[in-house]
Amino acid sequence: MNILKCLDKDGVPVVCSKETWNKHILPKHDEVEGCEAHVQSVIQHPRNIYQDTTNLNKLLLYSPAVLPKAHHCRYLRVVVHYKNHKILGRRGYVESAMGCWNIRQGDLLIWESK
């Protein structure tokens, strides 16, 4: 079951499974608890997109953060792993979401909103 399902800025379907959200993301990044709508917004309308340098199938999506007061941060970063399926075509899978103060060093900027 998916906790999140939307299209990215290029129209590619992106999902986040309930298992990924509850067993991977929330235990490491409790600042995004209850922020599924914010994560979806970053996927649909990112401010910046960076290419992950360790995995060319992963993109790092950033937007200014709008998280609860207890978790002040500058950006919300969402990591999406893209896969090409023979029948379904290209699909994205959320691997992580977190609040952060800075853009990760070393990744390559590939798109920026105007």
Side-chain angles (χ1 to χ4, degrees), residues 33-51:
E33 186 171 6
C35 295
E36 295 90 335
H38 297 301
V39 171
Q40 182 169 323
S41 179
V42 172
I43 294 166
Q44 294 173 318
H45 309 287
R47 171 77 57 88
N48 304 82
I49 301 176
Y50 285 79
Q51 176 65 62

Side-chain angles (χ1 to χ4, degrees), residues 56-101:
L56 297 179
N57 293 316
K58 288 185 187 180
L59 295 180
L60 309 169
L61 314 174
Y62 289 87
S63 278
V66 184
L67 298 178
K69 268 190 172 181
H71 300 285
H72 288 293
C73 57
R74 190 169 174 195
Y75 299 103
L76 181 55
R77 175 172 59 214
V78 180
V79 180
V80 180
H81 189 162
Y82 288 90
K83 297 180 182 179
N84 292 314
H85 298 280
K86 288 183 181 181
I87 296 173
L88 299 174
R90 190 167 192 223
R91 297 282 187 259
Y93 301 89
V94 175
E95 284 194 352
S96 190
M98 68 204 74
C100 59
W101 285 102

Side-chain angles (χ1 to χ4, degrees), residues 9-47:
K9 76 164 196 68
D10 296 322
V12 176
V14 175
V15 298
C16 181
S17 71
K18 192 172 188 177
E19 182 177 350
T20 297
W21 186 260
N22 291 325
K23 292 185 178 180
H24 175 71
I25 296 173
L26 290 183
K28 294 179 181 178
H29 307 290
D30 65 338
E31 71 272 15
V32 297
E33 186 171 6
C35 295
E36 295 90 335
H38 297 301
V39 171
Q40 182 169 323
S41 179
V42 172
I43 294 166
Q44 294 173 318
H45 309 287
R47 171 77 57 88

